[in-house]
Amino acid sequence: MTAAPIFYSIRPSHPEAHFFEVRCTLAAADPAGQRFALPAWTPGSYLIRDFARHIVSIRAEAAGQRVALDKIDKHTWRAAPVDEAAPLTVICEVYAWDLSVRGAHLDQTHAFFNGSSVFLCPLGHEQRPCLLDIQPPVGTRYRDWRVATAMAPAHGERGCAEDHGFGLHGASCYDELIDHPVEMGVLTLASFTACSVLHEVAISGHHDCDLTRLTADLTRICEWQIRLFGEPAPMPRYVFLITAVGDGYGGLEHRASTALLCARDDLPYPGMTGTPERYRTLLGLCSHEYFHSWNVKRIKPAAFTACNLAVENYTTLLWAFEGFTSYYDDLALQRCGVITVEDWLALVAATIDKVDRDPGRHRQTLAESSFDAWTKFYRPDENTPNAVVSYYAKGSLVALALDLTLRAATRNHCSLDAVMRTLWQRHGEYDQHRSVGVGDDDIRLLAEELSGLDLDRFFANAIDGTAELPLALLLKPFGIRLQRAEGSGTPTLGVTTKATGDELRLSTVYHGGPAQTSGLSAGDLLVAIDGLRVMPATVDRLLSRRKAGEVASVLAFRGDVLMEFSVQLGSPTLGKHQLLLDKKRNVLRKDWLQA
């Protein structure tokens, strides 16, 4: 006998006050007292966010009568036993003022929610099908609002949602319910087909977007990625949900959609020529989240095959699932012809600069960075650059290094492309019943199997060690030269700073650098160097008067105490990395890049 679906409804009850009313109705509740829990985190964003803190009121009822509801931990409630014939409903009011891709945001202009931040889970009933009634806010000002989501309309159900309309939507289980974010508002809609799959774009927020250009570029990106893994695509329909704001950036992957936050200036505008940097960044973000449709949503670390959304789920593999995705996001733009080879090389050089800038790469391995994401990467502080390496940035460089290693040793007969395709064939899931998680050593073993190489030392150094990646050596056979531009020649304090008006405060003091050695600390307010006042516009001029190795007198406020430091100035900062393309024909490169 098929279990009755769990019925949910969500309504923007008070947009001006940022409140959703969310209901969950369950038939055949636990006779001992049904427990309901809200996730503490959302897949794809590895930080405990405690979404339950946004529930401002909650109550339960059955057969028109109030039912006692006790809170038993920070995100779990237990209802008193009810008659099995009486469906149990829990109603909560959720405060939604998190303008991000992770939570929920509501005002008079739009509504967005990520399901894990609003939908209670009736524990013990996670596999039951779900029906969701998405309701509009009340009032004539909302008459033009529409709905965008990859969740399917509940066909055959009374009140079934029409195309981009309010009404009933269906999900096969709770996990699917929370994996389809929803955007409501006055939406700009567009669609395109990639490898026979319908793709939609829904943009909220004031903007002036060239939809023809955007959909044309997204078509090329999506088709390239689908063909990389092999048709058919793993989803019947895909939706790009874009919230355009004055200034913002972010993305979160889902099984058939992505929630994106961008600045209005990132969108292509009518009459735009070329591919400006801001638009290129947006396309890279779209490409990144789309690649996750395979790499993390379906090819998963073993730790994520049955996520516990109440606690941290640890894995040492985020360098592969985020880092490899970060390698392919911009590479896909180049290989499908949206950007040039030179554009892509500049993006790689910028990533090398980013990794090279922070001493944390010498102190934390990529495996450790992945495991510690919950407590370190997503909670940065003034010492993060000294202690943490990014599994996104360095992970993408490891992907580059591995790809080059495989290609050079096998004359392009084996590559990271082949590794990703085989991961998909062996570990990908088209549905929730086919997930075979990736173990800690599976990627190395697979790369060795496909290439015939012994990669133990490569992975020991790149993943479990802190050695520098030999990128210059690896790039050389492909006709690409890695070098550094000349620096400014100005000696350094070994810090990063934050300017506020005419004030300059230290934001990071690099480990082992001149400032740290002298006793300066993050948060100190620079006042003077060698008796002359420091301002954001003058600090470099003051330092340029001295030479590396000389001692400068630095005055700084720590709190309300004026302190003096003798700082032995450090060597000038090296220039930025450059990747220079040998214009001569290179067979290895031709099979790798679409030059």
Side-chain angles (χ1 to χ4, degrees):
M1 182 177 178
T2 304
I6 303 168
F7 184 83
Y8 290 86
S9 69
I10 185 166
R11 178 172 63 90
S13 55
H14 297 284
E16 73 288 347
H18 323 302
F19 287 135
F20 283 109
E21 181 191 84
V22 186
R23 292 174 175 252
C24 175
T25 299
L26 175 70
D30 186 341
Q34 180 63 49
R35 290 178 302 145
F36 295 84
L38 195 67
W41 62 282
T42 190
S45 183
Y46 309 111
L47 178 69
I48 297 296
R49 299 189 183 275
D50 290 328
F51 294 119
R53 64 196 170 96
H54 296 304
I55 294 179
V56 296
S57 68
I58 186 169
R59 70 184 192 276
E61 60 185 39
Q65 301 296 314
R66 193 74 173 254
V67 175
L69 191 66
D70 296 324
K71 193 170 186 178
I72 58 177
D73 63 32
K74 65 179 181 178
H75 57 216
T76 310
W77 292 260
R78 181 190 290 116
V82 298
D83 188 325
E84 290 187 21
L88 174 65
T89 299
V90 176
I91 306 101
C92 56
E93 194 173 37
V94 179
Y95 181 69
W97 197 234
D98 174 16
L99 186 56
S100 76
V101 297
R102 300 174 298 269
H105 189 265
L106 169 64
D107 63 13
Q108 300 95 318
T109 65
H110 89 127
F112 170 83
F113 61 83
N114 201 26
S116 53
S117 69
V118 294
F119 295 133
L120 291 166
C121 176
L123 300 182
H125 302 274
E126 292 87 344
Q127 298 307 315
R128 286 172 65 171
C130 302
L131 285 175
L132 171 63
D133 185 12
I134 303 175
Q135 302 174 1
V138 175
T140 57
R141 70 179 299 170
Y142 305 109
R143 63 179 176 271
D144 294 327
W145 275 32
R146 304 180 79 183
V147 175
T149 180
M151 191 182 307
H155 293 295
E157 297 287 342
R158 188 175 179 182
C160 166
E162 297 178 357
D163 187 31
H164 297 293
F166 293 90
L168 289 180
H169 294 71
S172 63
C173 61
Y174 179 80
D175 181 62
E176 183 183 343
L177 174 75
I178 64 171
D179 208 12
H180 290 298
V182 174
E183 178 74 36
M184 298 182 246
V186 179
L187 305 176
T188 299
L189 301 169
S191 64
F192 61 93
T193 299
C195 295
S196 302
V197 174
L198 176 64
H199 291 64
E200 297 180 353
V201 178
I203 308 174
S204 71
H206 299 288
H207 60 86
D208 183 19
C209 179
D210 182 346
L211 292 173
T212 301
R213 173 68 187 274
L214 179 61
T215 54
D217 288 338
L218 288 177
T219 300
R220 298 167 75 175
I221 294 165
C222 295
E223 288 188 340
W224 184 87
Q225 292 192 20
I226 293 170
R227 288 167 180 154
L228 170 69
F229 287 99
E231 296 184 56
M235 76 294 284
R237 181 172 68 100
Y238 191 89
V239 183
F240 291 91
L241 300 169
I242 303 175
T243 301
V245 296
D247 186 26
Y249 178 85
L252 189 63
E253 68 274 6
H254 297 274
R255 66 181 63 197
S257 62
T258 178
L260 303 168
L261 185 70
C262 75
R264 295 183 186 93
D265 291 343
D266 295 341
L267 293 165
Y269 53 87
M272 185 184 77
T273 59
T275 309
E277 181 180 354
R278 296 187 70 105
Y279 179 48
R280 188 171 62 225
T281 299
L282 173 62
L283 290 178
L285 178 62
C286 292
S287 179
H288 183 99
E289 304 306 338
Y290 194 73
F291 197 86
H292 274 315
S293 301
W294 292 267
N295 197 37
V296 90
K297 293 309 300 182
R298 292 170 173 86
I299 308 168
K300 298 181 180 182
F304 291 175
T305 55
C307 283
N308 182 347
L309 296 178
V311 297
E312 296 89 342
N313 290 221
Y314 295 101
T315 177
T316 61
L317 292 174
L318 293 182
W319 55 268
F321 289 91
E322 291 294 353
F324 283 18
T325 302
S326 295
Y327 171 61
Y328 275 104
D329 56 18
D330 288 330
L331 182 61
L333 306 188
Q334 189 279 319
R335 289 174 74 174
C336 76
V338 170
I339 64 174
T340 67
V341 174
E342 289 79 8
D343 288 337
W344 181 72
L345 292 176
L347 293 170
V348 175
T351 302
I352 295 172
D353 286 334
K354 182 178 180 180
V355 173
D356 187 70
R357 182 172 60 240
D358 294 342
R361 72 187 191 282
H362 297 306
R363 310 188 78 179
Q364 187 186 50
T365 70
L366 279 179
E368 292 168 340
S369 177
S370 300
F371 193 87
D372 292 338
W374 300 90
T375 55
K376 291 187 177 182
F377 186 80
Y378 278 92
R379 286 182 174 169
D381 58 27
E382 68 283 347
N383 194 52
T384 292
N386 291 322
V388 171
V389 65
S390 168
Y391 52 76
Y392 284 88
K394 188 178 179 183
S396 73
L397 297 182
V398 168
L400 169 63
L402 179 58
D403 200 6
L404 295 174
T405 298
L406 297 174
R407 289 177 179 278
T410 66
R411 301 297 294 177
N412 275 323
H413 291 296
C414 181
S415 65
L416 192 57
D417 293 356
V419 172
M420 297 308 300
R421 279 192 290 268
T422 308
L423 280 171
W424 173 240
Q425 293 160 7
R426 297 184 184 180
H427 296 273
E429 57 162 319
Y430 281 91
D431 57 60
Q432 60 182 344
H433 304 295
R434 290 187 54 193
S435 177
V436 180
V438 178
D440 286 354
D441 293 326
D442 285 350
I443 295 174
R444 174 181 63 82
L445 293 172
L446 177 57
E448 289 181 338
E449 174 192 334
L450 295 177
S451 67
L453 301 175
D454 181 352
L455 297 170
D456 188 68
R457 177 170 292 184
F458 177 94
F459 278 82
N461 290 337
I463 307 304
D464 298 314
T466 58
E468 301 285 6
L469 297 171
L471 292 177
L473 183 64
L474 293 172
L475 286 162
K476 188 175 180 180
F478 295 83
I480 299 171
R481 186 169 76 255
L482 175 62
Q483 66 179 35
R484 300 194 83 154
E486 291 187 8
S488 66
T490 301
T492 63
L493 295 172
V495 299
T496 60
T497 58
K498 181 178 180 181
T500 305
D502 286 339
E503 294 185 340
L504 196 66
R505 195 176 296 274
L506 304 186
S507 49
T508 294
V509 176
Y510 286 117
H511 178 73
Q516 187 188 71
T517 302
S518 73
L520 281 160
S521 297
D524 288 351
L525 178 66
L526 293 183
V527 176
I529 295 177
D530 293 331
L532 297 177
R533 182 186 177 190
V534 170
M535 293 187 293
T538 64
V539 61
D540 285 341
R541 293 204 299 269
L542 293 174
L543 290 173
S544 67
R545 300 177 180 182
R546 309 299 296 270
K547 295 180 179 179
E550 293 181 349
V551 176
S553 173
V554 177
L555 292 177
F557 273 111
R558 181 169 299 166
D560 60 354
V561 177
L562 183 64
M563 304 177 69
E564 184 174 4
F565 304 87
S566 295
V567 182
Q568 185 175 17
L569 299 176
S571 299
T573 301
L574 296 173
K576 293 183 178 181
H577 286 88
Q578 297 175 320
L579 290 175
L580 303 178
L581 189 68
D582 183 350
K583 294 295 185 180
K584 295 180 181 178
R585 185 173 183 271
N586 183 294
V587 174
L588 284 178
R589 187 176 72 225
K590 184 176 183 297
D591 287 344
W592 170 40
L593 303 178
Q594 305 302 310

